[in-house]
Amino acid sequence: MKNLVAFFAFTLLVSLCQAIELDFCVGDTTLPRGPEGFACKDPANVTTDDFVFTGFRHESFTANLFRSNVTLGFVDNFPALNGLGISMARLDFAVGGVIPVHSHRTSEVIIVTRGSIIAGFIDASNNAFYRRLEVGDVMIFPQAMLHFQINVGRTPATAIVSLNGANPAVQFTTTSLFAGNLPADIAQQITLLSHDEVMRMKRLFGTA
């Protein structure tokens, strides 16, 4: 038992030492990404600008199918996040805009900064948890859960989200089914939609 305790203590010590070996690892996006992220940029070439992201300054274009837009602050366009296990995004909604059902590899926290939205997620037991959120309200979406946001106010809305991964990915359910190369007959079978309904969705995404 003592040997087991000593082993775990040693393992923890080693992991802590590895965690603090470098102050930061700004990603070098000119090199291929590995399973643990990008290789580190030469510290001699790192500047303050590497740690500043200005992509959230302005409202994004929302004149699209969903009347919304997502501006990503992921490691690909903010390499200072490399290895830190965090990322962010800005959500902009026109009146009536939605962020359709989607998921990530990570958990997500959302805070509303303008307007009023309904936000929610659906768990593996098909229970829906949703709430109308006002400015300053915060909600959590657990890892990998399908979730969504809808602008239910009379004005445009904005929210900021934070995710516990530098590259959490985004997979939109509707887009995955109808905007890719999945054949219409398979989409029809797995969604229980009619052929006409599937083709209508594919035409909306320009893949018919």
Side-chain angles (χ1 to χ4, degrees):
M1 183 64 181
K2 289 183 179 180
N3 289 338
L4 186 61
V5 172
F7 170 77
F8 280 113
F10 176 75
T11 303
L12 177 61
L13 180 62
V14 169
S15 65
L16 289 174
C17 289
Q18 290 176 339
I20 62 173
E21 184 175 346
L22 297 172
D23 291 330
F24 50 79
C25 177
V26 176
D28 186 344
T29 56
T30 65
L31 298 175
R33 188 208 307 267
E36 297 182 359
F38 292 102
C40 301
K41 183 177 180 180
D42 184 346
N45 297 326
V46 173
T47 69
T48 301
D49 288 344
D50 287 304
F51 300 99
V52 178
F53 182 69
T54 61
F56 296 163
R57 287 184 177 179
H58 305 292
E59 185 174 353
S60 298
F61 177 80
T62 57
N64 54 49
L65 179 63
F66 295 112
R67 289 177 286 177
S68 67
N69 210 325
V70 180
T71 303
L72 302 178
F74 289 5
V75 67
D76 293 292
N77 57 347
F78 192 12
L81 298 174
N82 191 52
L84 298 182
I86 54 175
S87 57
M88 299 182 71
R90 170 177 169 151
L91 315 183
D92 286 299
F93 305 82
V95 175
V98 304
I99 305 292
V101 173
H102 63 285
S103 62
H104 309 282
R105 304 184 186 108
T106 63
S107 301
E108 176 181 329
V109 177
I110 185 171
I111 180 169
V112 178
T113 60
R114 179 177 62 152
S116 177
I117 68 172
I118 287 179
F121 68 91
I122 304 167
D123 71 10
S125 298
N126 296 322
N127 293 313
F129 301 85
Y130 58 94
R131 179 67 58 84
R132 181 168 181 148
L133 304 179
E134 308 293 344
V135 172
D137 290 347
V138 174
M139 188 172 184
I140 178 75
F141 308 127
Q143 181 175 355
M145 294 291 99
L146 294 171
H147 57 286
F148 57 87
Q149 296 90 25
I150 309 167
N151 182 5
V152 292
R154 297 181 179 179
T155 64
T158 304
I160 300 294
V161 301
S162 180
L163 306 100
N164 63 329
N167 184 36
V170 185
Q171 184 172 24
F172 290 98
T173 304
T174 309
T175 307
S176 296
L177 288 170
F178 305 112
N181 63 350
L182 185 68
D185 59 333
I186 295 179
Q188 180 179 342
Q189 289 177 306
I190 64 177
T191 61
L192 302 182
L193 296 175
S194 69
H195 176 75
D196 288 344
E197 289 170 327
V198 169
M199 295 309 297
R200 174 180 174 275
M201 293 300 297
K202 282 187 162 291
R203 283 193 294 270
L204 283 175
F205 288 103
T207 56

